[in-house]
Amino acid sequence: MIRKVYDWVDERLNVTPMWRDIADHEVPEHVNPAHHFSAFVYCFGGLTFFIVVIQILSGMFLTMYYVPDIKNAYESVKYLQNEVAFGVIVRGMHHWGASLVIVMMFLHTLRVFFQGAYKRPRELNWVVGMLIFFVMLGLGFTGYLLPWDDKAFFATKVGIQIAEQVPLIGGFIKILLQGGPIVGAGTLARFFAIHVFFLPGALLALLGAHFIMIRRQGISGPL
Ligand code: HEM
């Protein structure tokens, strides 16, 4: 039955070459953990991506209950955590995943660094990786404010104070981040928009570039 549907679609749209182009690649000998124990280091990039997918899916469900204004944010998170079916699990996944994804990304970066995989011809992918790194830190920073509890409020205050120390443009960065003279309603609305629209959009675009480049260049050779 599935085969028939597939053939029907394939006959009309010729989809076979599309997925074959993605799926039909042999894993090079030196990245195959069945042959070399140390090849597990090549999994960190894929594991990072796996957690990114979990973050996006769990985040989409959190957004169904989260209310991004200073009167309701805290209560909406409390409700989600204590009353909503599976809310505690979905929030827990997003909370722990946020830290785990940074750990995985760090391990991936260490692998690339210590194998010298960033060298010619992969310099541009290292640069894209650095941009991804800052986007991921931005996601962590903006997400931390959203529960609007004391910890969130004061962590953001401190974070913005640190950004303010940048010479010459510090004051400008502060207002840009804060969206007003204090950490308040403007900040929460702004951080929410950045957390769920701006940065995920940038991340997906950058990951697209990351993967296209890996595809073009292949994985770096054995040491
Ligand atoms: C969300 C974050 C990231 C994801 C999901 C990701 C994903 C991946 C994947 C799946 C690969 C294929 C090889 C492997 O898995 O090791 C890869 C390769 C690579 N990544 Fe990342 N990456 C991320 C962040 C970074 C960062 C922060 C850097 C460096 C600053 C970086 C630099 C590179 C380079 C240079 C390669 C090519 C390595 C080679 O050919 O051996 N990536 N990435």
Side-chain angles (χ1 to χ4, degrees):
M1 169 70 181
I2 294 175
R3 175 91 231 177
K4 271 194 175 158
V5 173
Y6 179 85
D7 288 343
W8 189 91
V9 175
D10 197 36
E11 203 183 315
R12 282 153 185 84
L13 295 172
N14 194 22
V15 291
T16 302
M18 290 187 217
W19 67 259
R20 274 198 188 262
D21 182 50
I22 295 171
D24 260 9
H25 272 256
E26 278 188 34
V27 179
E29 165 72 19
H30 71 288
V31 304
N32 188 342
H35 295 145
H36 303 280
F37 174 70
S38 58
F40 73 85
V41 295
Y42 290 97
C43 292
F44 294 137
L47 288 172
T48 312
F49 181 62
F50 178 64
I51 306 173
V52 165
V53 171
I54 291 181
Q55 290 308 98
I56 291 172
L57 292 178
S58 55
M60 282 161 63
F61 281 102
L62 293 181
T63 316
M64 287 180 163
Y65 290 92
Y66 180 73
V67 184
D69 72 63
I70 54 173
K71 285 226 171 97
N72 299 299
Y74 180 79
E75 283 301 324
S76 74
V77 173
K78 201 169 152 194
Y79 177 75
L80 168 91
Q81 170 95 11
N82 298 312
E83 310 291 338
V84 176
F86 305 111
V88 66
I89 294 180
V90 176
R91 183 169 180 229
M93 286 169 74
H94 204 74
H95 176 92
W96 293 105
S99 294
L100 197 58
V101 77
I102 301 290
V103 173
M104 282 300 159
M105 182 176 66
F106 189 62
L107 292 174
H108 170 58
T109 311
L110 287 181
R111 192 285 282 176
V112 170
F113 182 76
F114 282 109
Q115 288 192 336
Y118 54 84
K119 291 181 190 174
R120 185 186 156 103
R122 295 185 177 76
E123 308 95 317
L124 276 179
N125 219 5
W126 175 266
V127 173
V128 168
M130 284 319 297
L131 295 176
I132 292 176
F133 179 82
F134 287 118
V135 167
M136 296 296 288
L137 293 192
L139 280 165
F141 183 56
T142 50
Y144 208 83
L145 179 67
L146 301 185
W148 200 250
D149 54 8
D150 276 359
K151 200 166 59 141
F153 178 82
F154 286 106
T156 302
K157 234 177 137 54
V158 171
I160 290 179
Q161 272 165 9
I162 293 172
E164 198 186 356
Q165 305 310 311
V166 174
L168 301 176
I169 54 168
F172 173 74
I173 297 177
K174 177 184 173 180
I175 295 300
L176 191 72
L177 285 173
Q178 226 165 239
I182 55 159
V183 174
T187 323
L188 186 66
R190 184 162 291 213
F191 273 37
F192 177 72
I194 294 172
H195 189 76
V196 304
F197 295 118
F198 288 77
L199 291 180
L203 181 65
L204 290 181
L206 288 167
L207 281 178
H210 204 58
F211 295 152
I212 287 170
M213 281 194 240
I214 294 164
R215 214 36 214 283
R216 285 234 152 168
Q217 306 184 313
I219 199 77
S220 56
L223 291 176

